[in-house]
Amino acid sequence: MRRPSLLCALPCLLLPACAPAGTTVVRPADTATAGAKGVGDPLFPAMGNGGYQVEHYGLSLTYEPKDGGITATAEIGARTDRALSSFSLDFHGLQVDGATIDGTPATVARTGDALRLTPAKELAADTAFTAVVTYHGAPETLTDPDGSQEGWLKTPDGAVALGEPNGSMAWFPGNHHPSDKAAYDLTVSVPEGMTAVSNGELSKQQTANGRTSFTWHTAEPMASYLATVAIGSFTLDRTAAGTVPQTVAIHTAQAQRAADVPSWVAAVTDWGARLFGPYPFSSTGATIGSGPSIDYALETQTRPYFNHAPDEISLVHEIAHQWFGDSVTPGSWQDMWLNEGFATYAEWLWQEQHAGPTAADTFAEYYALPKTDDLWSFPPAKPPSAEDVSGDPVYYRGAMTLHRLRETVGDATFSTILRTWTTDHRHGNVRTTDFTDLCTKVAGKDLAPLFQKWLYTSGKPTTP
Ligand code: TRP
Ligand code: ZN
């Protein structure tokens, strides 16, 4: 289901398993060692963990509106990359009540946001295991490196969990790096009358003793930053107006303003499928909240989250992410332009095809910005720090790169490139060089100068 680990594309200092062929590895491969803390992401060194890959998260949360707390169990089905004496999970705040590995109690140690589990018996290489962590408490809101809020956010009548780049550790322990994607089943129990919304399809809904539990199933691999839960007064709209099954969760306070959203979701999903290739997931949709004062939307898988009814263009951006970011996922946070540059260019294409400015007009508007503008503060494929992964160059200069590519190779080849990209890397992880190599191959010409100029060179290019 998943492509092989991309960890080897990242610096391998902490990962003896990644030593290139021919290098002398001192330890025999079957000697169990502690799994690394961090996967070596240059911008987020603490995120993710070495030694294993998660295949499935089974999360079960009981939400208590009185104090906003949760009581939860995370069942993590994973596979070792190598023999492990212990391993880490990323986890923030909440109180851990216990942990088992394959049914046997494990030793728990916490340092900062690392939760280290030591099994009673070492785990062999290339072996499936199940870790279960039980925990409770009031999940926290985190401030991410660019200053915006993520993690667990309170809303007027509930909460919403948003995890880009590292907020998911505020509500469940996991391998919180986009290079480790997994399937999910999430059950949330709420007082009867409230609704809990998550990714994928609602597979079960049950009311007993004044509480309702909602179970959501995500079969396709999902990066943990795309996992979400929204709790409150929502209605689930399943008007299937397009070719992909859809569920739009609309907060009752937004019912009027969001009236058009279900038909837009259908139209935009089908538009994307025509342009980018088959829609990558078994359902589409959106969640329209009423609330927390965040100033962004998030492309939570299959069901992008908006804190109020979106306009059409924001919907285009977040639904385009389902191909670019959610299905084809960067293996490193440095490569965020593969998400944001593409989703932004999707907006330009939508406008061009719907009586708006042409992509060339939009490109020209950005290119006209003075060289002192933030747009030119760093090259899109080389964000210098964690806070820059959501910076202007990642979005707009990333989109400009795609526009220059399109002008250079022509519309037909550009379209083939996009469709080959989403097909070859469907549900996988990628790096920028995967994209530039693919472009060169499909176009049959040397595009290195174009990418060098637009993706890697500091400052405003002197010519478009
Ligand atoms: N991905 C969001 C969007 O579609 C924006 C965003 C929120 C973001 N948090 C982030 C981007 C962290 C990069 C890093 O626009
Ligand atoms: Zn985006």
Side-chain angles (χ1 to χ4, degrees):
M1 183 162 64
R2 276 180 293 114
R3 298 173 66 242
S5 165
L6 273 163
L7 301 183
C8 291
L10 298 168
C12 286
L13 299 175
L14 298 169
L15 298 168
C18 280
T23 311
T24 313
V25 175
V26 180
R27 274 188 312 274
D30 57 354
T31 301
T33 52
K37 174 69 205 126
V39 293
D41 191 298
L43 299 179
F44 291 88
M47 285 175 64
N49 305 281
Y52 67 95
Q53 296 266 304
V54 179
E55 285 170 348
H56 181 261
Y57 289 94
L59 307 175
S60 176
L61 271 58
T62 299
Y63 173 76
E64 190 43 72
K66 279 196 204 76
D67 57 4
I70 58 170
T71 304
T73 303
E75 188 180 297
I76 300 164
R79 198 165 186 92
T80 57
D81 293 341
R82 56 193 178 79
L84 289 175
S85 55
S86 70
F87 63 91
S88 280
L89 295 162
D90 305 293
F91 194 41
H92 178 85
L94 301 161
Q95 180 78 40
V96 173
D97 300 314
T100 61
I101 295 172
D102 293 331
T104 305
T107 306
V108 176
R110 295 185 82 169
T111 339
D113 292 336
L115 172 69
R116 184 164 289 271
L117 301 187
T118 305
K121 192 170 155 290
E122 291 171 347
L123 299 171
D126 197 24
T127 301
F129 68 94
T130 302
V132 176
V133 180
T134 49
Y135 57 98
H136 74 274
E140 291 174 27
T141 301
L142 306 181
T143 300
D144 74 21
D146 79 357
S148 46
Q149 307 268 283
E150 54 160 341
W152 189 269
L153 301 132
K154 287 197 170 118
T155 59
D157 66 342
V160 60
L162 299 173
E164 190 178 23
N166 55 8
S168 289
M169 67 177 172
W171 63 284
F172 67 97
N175 198 18
H176 292 309
H177 188 270
S179 58
D180 187 0
K181 302 209 264 185
Y184 285 69
D185 285 281
L186 176 102
T187 299
V188 187
S189 157
V190 293
E192 188 173 356
M194 295 183 92
T195 300
V197 186
S198 182
N199 314 85
E201 295 88 50
L202 182 66
S203 57
K204 196 171 164 193
Q205 179 180 336
Q206 213 166 32
T207 299
N209 306 321
R211 296 193 67 93
T212 305
S213 67
F214 294 84
T215 301
W216 294 85
H217 175 64
T218 298
E220 299 95 359
M222 176 163 79
S224 74
Y225 78 92
L226 299 168
T228 184
V229 52
I231 297 166
S233 172
F234 288 93
T235 53
L236 302 178
D237 181 303
R238 294 207 185 72
T239 343
T243 57
V244 179
Q246 71 177 48
T247 302
V248 179
I250 301 176
H251 194 278
T252 50
Q254 290 285 317
Q256 301 280 295
R257 265 163 293 190
D260 289 333
V261 171
S263 61
W264 289 352
V265 167
V268 173
T269 302
D270 285 348
W271 173 80
R274 285 193 297 276
L275 225 60
F276 311 137
Y279 180 75
F281 305 115
S282 40
S283 64
T284 183
T287 299
I288 317 302
S290 88
S293 52
I294 48 159
D295 57 2
Y296 63 87
L298 192 65
E299 62 269 28
T300 42
Q301 193 158 304
T302 66
R303 193 152 294 108
Y305 182 82
F306 303 87
N307 66 351
H308 53 74
D311 54 20
E312 217 176 4
I313 206 71
S314 325
L315 203 64
V316 167
H317 181 104
E318 304 306 336
I319 290 182
H321 270 308
Q322 304 303 311
W323 287 263
F324 307 111
D326 294 14
S327 171
V328 182
T329 308
S332 163
W333 286 104
Q334 286 176 299
D335 296 318
M336 251 313 94
W337 85 277
L338 294 172
N339 285 11
E340 302 304 345
F342 283 64
T344 301
Y345 198 61
E347 295 177 46
W348 300 8
L349 290 171
W350 174 273
Q351 286 167 332
E352 175 171 288
Q353 296 175 19
H354 295 83
T358 63
D361 291 340
T362 309
F363 177 97
E365 211 178 290
Y366 282 101
Y367 189 70
L369 291 170
K371 58 179 192 288
T372 50
D373 193 272
D374 273 357
L375 175 61
W376 313 113
S377 56
F378 61 87
K382 285 200 296 184
S385 73
E387 70 181 291
D388 296 314
V389 302
S390 52
D392 282 3
V394 170
Y395 282 74
Y396 307 109
R397 188 168 160 179
M400 294 174 86
T401 303
L402 293 174
H403 188 68
R404 287 297 299 129
L405 172 67
R406 175 182 163 198
E407 288 183 335
T408 305
V409 302
D411 283 4
T413 302
F414 181 68
S415 166
T416 307
I417 286 172
L418 291 184
R419 302 172 73 92
T420 310
W421 180 240
T422 61
T423 306
D424 286 6
H425 299 286
R426 184 180 170 94
H427 300 156
N429 285 108
V430 287
R431 300 298 313 262
T432 293
T433 49
D434 293 318
F435 183 68
T436 55
D437 289 352
L438 180 143
C439 291
T440 303
K441 197 173 95 196
V442 173
K445 63 171 143 190
D446 181 17
L447 297 165
L450 172 91
F451 292 126
Q452 186 55 40
K453 174 172 170 173
W454 280 94
L455 291 179
Y456 296 110
T457 305
S458 300
K460 177 176 176 176
T462 51
T463 59

